[in-house]
Amino acid sequence: MHPDHTAPTSAQPSAPSRGGRRLRRIVATMALGAAMFAVGAVMLPPGGNTAPRPVGHHGQDGTPRGSIEALQARVARLPKDPGGWAALGMAYVQQARSTADPATYERAEKALRTSLSVQGEGNTDAETAMGALAAARHDFPAALRWARRATTSGPYSSSAYGVLADAHTQLGHYDDADEAVQKMTDLRPDAASLARASYAFELKGDTARARALMQRSLAAAATPADRAFAHRVLADLDLQDANPHEALARTRTALRTAPTDSALLETRARAYLALGDTTEAAADYRAAIAIAPLPHYLLGLGELEQALGHRQRAAENYDLLRAQDRIREAAGDPADTDVILFEADHGNPRRAVTLAEETLRNRPFVAVHDAYAWALHRAGRDVEALAQADKALAQGTRSALFRYHRAAIHHALGDPEAARRDLTEALREPGFHPLHADAARDLLQRIDTTP
C-alpha cells in the first residue's frame, strides 16, 4: 500500500536526490513504446511482493494456467521441478496478501524451501519469492538479503530488482531503491517496472510523473488484476491531487470488471468519504472487509463509524483489530503503521510508542516515522515527535495525514504559524480522514481566531 492517507501538499524536497536524477531516465525509457512491454507482466505492489498471475488460458484439466490449483498439479507431477515449487510459493504469497490469511505464508515458505532444497544455488525464482515473502511479513532486512542473492544469481531478472527496490524503500534507502527501480526498468520496461517507477516519484511528491508512469503501466497491464492495481493507484493519485470525483469515477469503472477487488473497494470508500457520502463509504468498507479483513480496512471503517456516532459498530471493528494484533504479537511479527496509529488514538499511547520503536528498527520508512511521531505526540513527547514528523515528510511525500500530525505537534510546541501551514496543506483534501479532518478544521479555526 502507498503511504497512509496521501493528500496534496506543495512542499518539495529542497534539492533533487541523486536517485531523483537517476529516475529521470525512466521517463525517457517510456518513449520506447508498447512493443517493448512484455506479455504477462508481474505486478509488484509497493508493499514489496511479487506473484505470478493467471494469464487467462487453461490447461488440459480446465484449471487456469498459473493458478494455485494448476501449480499444485504441476509439482505433484514434477516434484523435482524447482521452478514449479517457486511459482507455487509466489502464488501463495499473493493469495495471502489478498485474503489476509497468515497461514498461507507458511504454505508459501514450505513451497519455496522445497524449491531451494531441489536447487540450492542459482535458483533466482525461489530467491526472489523468498524476498517477496519476507517483505510480506515485514521482515525487510531479510527481504534485502534474499533480493541481493537473487540479483546476484539472476542479474537479468527484473522481478528480483523489484523486490530489491521494495526492500530498500522500506528500509529508508531511497537512493538505492531508485537505482534498483532504474535497473528493473532498463531490463524490462513493463507494467511491473513502470509501477515501481511511479511509486518512486510518488514518494517524492511528484504526482505528475507518478501519474504518467502509472498510465503507461496500465497500458502495459496484461491481466485484469494488473489493470485493477493500476486503476487503484491512479485513483489514489486523484485523491492526493484533491480530485475525489475523478477517483470515484475511476474506481467505479474498474470495479465493473473487478467487483471483488478489496483494494479498489477501499479506495472507492475513501473517494466517497472525501465527497461526504458516508453511507456509500461505509458500505464499501464493509464489502472490502468481507473479502479481506485487513487492518487498514478495519481501522478506516471503525473510525468512520465513530465519527458517525455509531459507537457499538466502531467497537466491533476495533475489537477485531485488537484480536488480529494479539495474533501478530504472539507470532513475534512487527506492528504495521495501522496498529501503531490505532493504539495511539484508541488504546495506550505509551504502548504505541514502544510498538513504533520496535518497528522502526527494521523499517525506517516514511510512514513508520509518521506513526512514531503521532504516538510520541499522544504520549506527550512533542519535541521528539517533531523530529520524527520532519523525517516522515523529508522526501516530499504528499500526505494530508502526515501534515495534520505535524501540525498538531507544532501547535503543542507553541508554534501556531507552522501549524497553520501544515493544516492548510492537509485540508486541501477536506475529507482526508473520518476523525482527523474535522479536528484539523477545528484547530485551524482556533489558530485563526486566537488574538
Side-chain angles (χ1 to χ4, degrees):
M1 187 180 173
H2 288 6
D4 304 62
H5 309 286
T6 46
T9 172
S10 63
Q12 299 291 338
S14 58
S17 68
R18 295 190 304 276
R21 288 193 290 271
R22 287 190 206 97
L23 279 167
R24 292 196 183 102
R25 292 169 48 207
I26 293 175
V27 179
T29 301
M30 294 184 344
L32 292 172
M36 294 195 65
F37 294 126
V39 175
V42 176
M43 286 305 280
L44 295 168
N49 306 291
T50 65
R53 306 211 188 238
V55 296
H57 301 291
H58 292 75
Q60 293 180 350
D61 60 356
T63 57
R65 293 178 185 173
S67 69
I68 286 178
E69 293 79 6
L71 293 169
Q72 288 170 333
R74 174 180 169 180
V75 297
R77 291 194 313 271
L78 303 168
K80 296 297 183 181
D81 175 17
W85 285 109
L88 179 59
M90 286 280 245
Y92 279 136
V93 171
Q94 183 61 33
Q95 184 186 62
R97 286 184 58 80
S98 61
T99 63
D101 180 7
T104 309
Y105 290 137
E106 299 300 325
R107 292 191 282 274
E109 183 168 3
K110 183 178 179 181
L112 296 174
R113 294 290 182 189
T114 302
S115 178
L116 290 165
S117 70
V118 174
Q119 181 185 337
E121 297 296 328
N123 191 343
T124 304
D125 289 344
E127 293 160 354
T128 300
M130 285 294 287
L133 175 61
R137 289 170 160 170
H138 287 187
D139 186 352
F140 295 105
L144 181 61
R145 291 192 295 272
W146 280 109
R148 283 173 168 165
R149 182 170 165 179
T151 55
T152 299
S153 67
Y156 301 106
S157 170
S158 64
S159 294
Y161 279 99
V163 177
L164 182 64
D166 289 336
H168 277 311
T169 297
Q170 297 294 326
L171 290 168
H173 309 157
Y174 301 112
D175 283 353
D176 291 333
D178 289 347
E179 286 185 355
V181 171
Q182 183 65 66
K183 181 67 173 179
M184 185 185 186
T185 310
D186 290 344
L187 286 168
R188 195 175 188 184
D190 61 3
S193 60
L194 290 167
R196 275 294 177 283
S198 172
Y199 188 54
F201 281 114
E202 184 183 346
L203 275 178
K204 295 173 177 62
D206 191 341
T207 56
R209 285 185 175 178
R211 184 183 300 280
L213 286 157
M214 189 52 67
Q215 289 283 8
R216 283 287 189 175
S217 181
L218 174 61
T223 71
D226 293 348
R227 287 189 288 276
F229 173 78
H231 280 301
R232 180 180 65 79
V233 173
L234 287 166
D236 280 335
L237 292 170
D238 290 332
L239 290 173
Q240 290 180 49
D241 289 335
N243 193 349
H245 289 284
E246 184 62 31
L248 180 59
R250 179 177 294 280
T251 50
R252 279 176 170 169
T253 299
L255 281 162
R256 292 191 190 109
T257 55
T260 61
D261 189 299
S262 65
L264 273 173
L265 286 165
E266 187 268 347
T267 303
R268 189 171 69 174
R270 290 188 287 113
Y272 276 126
L273 180 62
L275 292 168
D277 191 339
T278 57
T279 300
E280 291 295 338
D284 274 347
Y285 271 124
R286 292 189 194 102
I289 289 167
I291 296 166
L294 296 172
H296 58 287
Y297 301 173
L298 292 167
L299 183 58
L301 179 58
E303 292 183 326
L304 175 55
E305 297 285 18
Q306 182 178 340
L308 294 172
H310 304 156
R311 297 178 62 182
Q312 182 57 41
R313 292 180 186 176
E316 289 170 0
N317 288 281
Y318 295 161
D319 286 345
L320 185 51
L321 262 172
R322 291 188 182 96
Q324 289 184 346
D325 189 48
R326 286 193 292 272
I327 295 171
R328 174 203 63 77
E329 194 170 31
D333 295 332
D336 202 351
T337 54
D338 304 295
V339 172
I340 297 165
L341 293 173
F342 170 70
E343 193 67 27
D345 282 326
H346 309 286
N348 184 338
R350 286 178 293 181
R351 180 172 183 261
V353 169
T354 300
L355 291 174
E357 288 171 346
E358 292 170 352
T359 298
L360 199 63
R361 291 189 191 106
N362 290 319
R363 192 188 173 198
F365 179 56
V366 292
V368 183
H369 284 296
D370 169 71
Y372 187 26
W374 190 241
L376 287 165
H377 166 68
R378 297 284 290 172
R381 297 164 58 180
D382 287 300
V383 173
E384 297 165 86
L386 182 58
Q388 293 298 320
D390 286 343
K391 288 181 180 180
L393 288 159
Q395 297 297 310
T397 305
R398 295 187 174 191
S399 170
L401 189 65
F402 291 10
R403 285 285 189 166
Y404 166 68
H405 286 165
R406 193 169 69 173
I409 294 165
H410 276 308
H411 188 258
L413 290 171
D415 191 343
E417 289 304 316
R420 180 188 284 110
R421 288 193 296 271
D422 278 334
L423 289 168
T424 301
E425 295 295 339
L427 288 169
R428 290 191 181 186
E429 186 185 344
F432 69 88
H433 189 276
L435 297 172
H436 294 321
D438 285 343
R441 280 187 285 273
D442 290 345
L443 179 56
L444 184 59
Q445 183 177 20
R446 289 203 308 273
I447 291 171
D448 287 342
T449 56
T450 298

